[in-house]
């Protein structure tokens, strides 16, 4: 099972100090977080993509390419690549190039984005979000898997005899997770292709999460990719940990109440009870996260933690990552207990390349 950290690169004011970092400081801090995550033994660093204030990450591949040169084992991912407003040709080329530079330590999470004004900035309409996600991904898959592509669709100009460069490393495209919090069409899309499904469940009760994940699992089996419990599921959590729970709750409450995402809504206690916001001692975090198997309908493959954002300062985020370095080994051990042997790990470049080589070595079927 993979464990890691993710964020969206929001530029938030620290309600305790009153300071807001500069864009440069925020970006430099993200690199530090990735380096420390690599050092303490986490598996994944994932970054978002936004093109509007107060966010600073408009070019995930630039950030991840820099991080690739400064880390050794960390798998580099996104916590949303906008499949709706990005050109699939550019996604195909950017992430194949990053894949080569990072020696295969790359996958990506596709999402639609929920900021309406951004769509027309890139010539699109948010009302076409689902249709864009479906059509653009169908083209992206072909660009990665076919050397020469002829294509015509609804949302971009046709392609004739087009080859995306560079080609994917070892002819193995990066693994794709489809991210959604409320759209069954995206769960269906992930299942249809046998890709991963990531539910960013920070704001949603477990009953809702379970419903959408169950849909994905059942359709994954329907399309013949394996049993429902072999589908690739990822979940999120927003974590704040201190040695005792009282200190954690007291400190995090200031950030929670001042946040545009959480503030002016249900209380911190109500949010913690219903969603994947986890604030407490290391043992409480472990117990809460282990219970996510219920949210996921069984064993799952990827658990990402949000530890930065909403104004939490750099020094505190680094402390949170250090704490995860102590918590994650316990979670690995506990999640392994009773995990059926037929439930796969999250795909990596190495596992996908090995599977491709094994398939190529099989004798061709007699066409008769």
């Amino acid at each position: 099972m993979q464990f890691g950290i993710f964020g969206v690169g929001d530029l938030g004011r620290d309600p305790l100090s009153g300071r807001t970092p500069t864009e440069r400081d925020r970006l430099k801090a993200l690199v530090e977080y990735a380096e420390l995550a690599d050092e303490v033994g986490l598996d994944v660093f994932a970054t978002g993509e936004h093109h509007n204030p107060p966010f600073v990450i408009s070019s995930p591949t630039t950030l991840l390419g820099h991080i690739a040169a400064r880390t050794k084992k960390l798998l580099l991912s996104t916590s949303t690549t906008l499949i709706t407003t990005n050109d699939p040709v550019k996604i195909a080329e950017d992430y194949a190039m990053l894949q080569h530079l990072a020696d295969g330590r790359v996958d990506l999470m596709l999402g639609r984005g929920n900021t309406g004004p951004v769509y027309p900035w890139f010539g699109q309409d948010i009302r076409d979000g689902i249709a864009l996600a479906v059509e653009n991904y169908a083209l992206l898959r072909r660009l990665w898997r076919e050397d020469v592509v002829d294509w015509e669709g609804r949302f971009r100009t046709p392609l004739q005899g087009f080859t995306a460069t560079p080609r994917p490393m070892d002819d193995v495209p990066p693994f794709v997770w489809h991210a959604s919090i409320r759209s069954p069409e995206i769960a269906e899309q992930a299942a249809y292709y046998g890709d991963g499904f990531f539910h960013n469940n920070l704001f949603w009760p477990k009953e809702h999460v379970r419903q959408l994940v169950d849909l994905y699992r059942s359709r994954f089996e329907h399309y013949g990719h394996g049993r429902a419990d072999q589908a690739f599921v990822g979940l999120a959590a927003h974590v704040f940990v201190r040695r005792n729970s009282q200190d954690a709750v007291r400190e995090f409450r200031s950030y929670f109440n001042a946040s545009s995402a959480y503030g002016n809504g249900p209380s911190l206690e109500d949010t913690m009870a219903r969603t994947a916001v986890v604030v407490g001692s290391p043992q409480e975090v472990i117990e809460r996260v282990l219970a996510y198997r219920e949210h996921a309908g069984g064993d799952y493959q990827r658990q990402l933690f949000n530890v930065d954002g909403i104004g939490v300062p750099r020094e505190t985020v680094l402390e949170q990552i250090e704490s995860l370095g102590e918590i994650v080994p316990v979670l690995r051990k506990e999640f392994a207990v009773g995990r059926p042997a037929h439930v796969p790990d999250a795909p990596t470049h190495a596992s996908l390349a090995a599977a491709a080589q094994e398939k190529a070595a099989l004798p061709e079927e007699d066409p008769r």
Side-chain angles (χ1 to χ4, degrees):
M1 185 170 175
Q2 294 175 342
F3 294 91
I5 57 173
F6 79 104
V8 293
D10 54 316
L11 198 64
R13 174 181 174 273
D14 180 350
L16 299 182
S17 70
R19 293 193 295 269
T20 301
T22 65
E23 292 178 320
R24 180 180 184 277
D25 287 344
R26 187 75 170 94
L27 288 167
K28 292 288 188 178
L30 290 169
V31 177
E32 278 191 89
Y33 303 159
E35 290 178 304
L36 183 57
D38 197 38
E39 290 174 17
V40 302
L42 302 187
D43 302 305
V44 181
F45 176 86
T47 184
E49 176 189 351
H50 284 275
H51 299 274
N52 55 296
F55 304 98
V56 299
I57 307 172
S58 57
S59 179
T61 51
T62 303
L63 176 63
L64 294 177
H66 182 64
I67 290 172
R70 301 175 69 97
T71 55
K72 297 178 180 178
K73 297 181 180 179
L74 204 61
L75 195 156
L76 307 174
S77 189
T78 54
S79 53
T80 298
T81 296
L82 297 176
I83 188 63
T84 47
T85 52
N86 279 308
D87 185 350
V89 171
K90 189 65 172 150
I91 295 176
E93 295 187 333
D94 282 353
Y95 284 90
M97 185 167 178
L98 177 61
Q99 188 189 39
H100 284 281
L101 293 173
D103 297 322
R105 293 186 289 130
V106 173
D107 65 24
L108 68 161
M109 187 187 306
L110 299 179
R112 302 196 315 280
N114 58 7
T115 308
V118 173
Y119 277 71
W121 298 346
F122 294 90
Q124 302 298 348
D125 187 326
I126 194 171
R127 291 170 294 186
D128 294 324
I130 293 291
L132 280 162
V134 171
E135 180 177 297
N136 284 353
Y137 183 57
L139 174 56
L140 175 61
R141 284 183 64 87
R142 289 189 59 191
L143 291 167
W144 272 338
R145 288 165 172 81
E146 299 176 27
D147 289 338
V148 180
V149 173
D150 295 314
W151 180 89
E152 185 172 350
R154 174 184 170 192
F155 294 108
R156 80 173 311 283
T157 53
L159 297 173
Q160 294 182 349
F162 180 79
T163 299
T165 57
R167 305 304 298 145
M169 180 177 165
D170 302 322
D171 290 324
V172 177
F175 185 72
V176 169
W177 300 83
H178 299 259
S180 181
I181 57 176
R182 61 182 179 271
S183 300
E185 297 92 339
I186 301 304
E188 177 78 16
Q189 182 184 40
Y192 177 79
Y193 291 110
D195 295 336
F197 179 67
F198 190 92
H199 197 295
N200 192 354
N201 51 316
L202 299 187
F203 306 103
W204 294 85
K206 62 183 180 182
E207 296 83 4
H208 170 86
V209 178
R210 177 68 184 271
Q211 185 178 30
L212 207 54
V213 171
D214 280 353
L215 170 64
Y216 160 68
R217 287 189 183 278
S218 66
R219 299 301 288 172
F220 183 95
E221 182 171 306
H222 168 80
Y223 288 116
H225 300 298
R227 292 167 44 167
D229 63 354
Q230 294 177 303
F232 303 107
V233 174
L235 294 179
H238 196 147
V239 167
F240 194 89
V241 59
R242 290 300 189 201
R243 287 303 167 190
N244 67 74
S245 59
Q246 294 86 356
D247 288 343
V249 170
R250 174 182 50 78
E251 187 175 347
F252 186 72
R253 191 183 303 279
S254 298
Y255 301 107
F256 179 91
N257 289 340
S259 165
S260 60
Y262 294 118
N264 301 314
S267 69
L268 173 58
E269 285 74 15
D270 287 345
T271 302
M272 288 168 57
R274 293 284 289 163
T275 72
V277 174
V278 184
V279 182
S281 67
Q283 187 56 40
E284 287 174 316
V285 171
I286 290 167
E287 291 173 359
R288 282 287 305 278
V289 174
L290 287 173
Y292 288 174
R293 274 184 285 207
E294 179 184 349
H295 302 208
D299 291 283
Y300 59 110
Q301 283 75 20
R302 175 174 283 188
Q303 175 66 59
L304 298 184
F305 300 105
N306 187 341
V307 293
D308 77 313
I310 66 170
V312 177
R314 167 186 164 276
E315 296 79 6
T316 302
V317 174
L318 293 172
E319 292 168 353
Q320 297 300 305
I321 297 171
E322 292 276 10
S323 295
L324 285 176
E326 300 173 3
I327 288 169
V328 162
V330 180
L331 288 172
R332 287 191 206 284
K333 182 178 178 180
E334 294 297 325
F335 270 112
V337 174
R339 186 182 180 97
H342 67 271
V343 174
D345 293 327
T348 63
H349 180 79
S351 69
L352 293 172
Q357 289 176 354
E358 183 178 344
K359 182 178 180 181
L362 294 174
E364 292 185 12
E365 293 185 6
D366 190 332
R368 290 176 297 177

